[in-house]
Amino acid sequence: MRAYSAANPERRVTERAPSRVEIAEIARGDMAAALQRLVLLIHTTRSDMAAVQAFVALKDIAYGRDPQTIDMHLDYEGMTEDELRAAIAAELAAGPTDPTGGGNDGGASPPPLAG
């Protein structure tokens, strides 16, 4: 950031850093203008947080949002399609799972270890 400002003194930013809401509105606007504005924000803002948020918005435009995963430990091979749908619906209704897989937050517990 400082190197960019030193190399481009006429481009120094004197306005306040945009908020998360303002960055989201820019991203939803006209695509070409939004991309130019986001790239400009990444390179010229004094706020590291605003630069990161602008980068995330740009990444979401270019590559889409990161995929969401559901960690389920089911023996689905012996289930009918209706049973599988019911099990998935119950898991989704239970809420977010514990990232360690312990099932402490309403999620499924890991399968028992063999042996």
Side-chain angles (χ1 to χ4, degrees):
M1 172 67 188
R2 287 186 183 147
Y4 182 88
S5 294
N8 301 293
E10 71 281 355
R11 296 282 191 179
R12 285 201 178 127
V13 177
T14 57
E15 62 188 43
R16 67 171 180 78
S19 69
R20 176 180 288 169
V21 173
E22 291 169 334
I23 291 173
E25 288 173 0
I26 292 169
R28 289 186 196 107
D30 179 41
M31 190 58 71
L35 291 174
Q36 290 174 354
R37 176 81 171 142
L38 289 171
V39 169
L40 183 66
L41 277 173
I42 289 169
H43 291 291
T44 61
T45 186
R46 291 183 179 166
S47 168
D48 290 338
M49 182 60 74
V52 168
Q53 290 171 351
F55 174 77
V56 169
L58 185 63
K59 182 186 74 73
D60 286 347
I61 291 169
Y63 297 103
R65 295 194 177 261
D66 293 331
Q68 301 294 320
T69 61
I70 299 174
D71 186 24
M72 295 180 58
H73 304 285
L74 292 175
D75 179 22
Y76 58 87
E77 292 183 15
M79 297 176 129
T80 66
E81 187 173 334
D82 292 332
E83 292 171 336
L84 183 59
R85 286 179 192 271
I88 291 172
E91 186 67 25
L92 290 174
T97 60
D98 180 15
T100 61
N104 295 333
D105 198 15
S109 297
L113 297 173

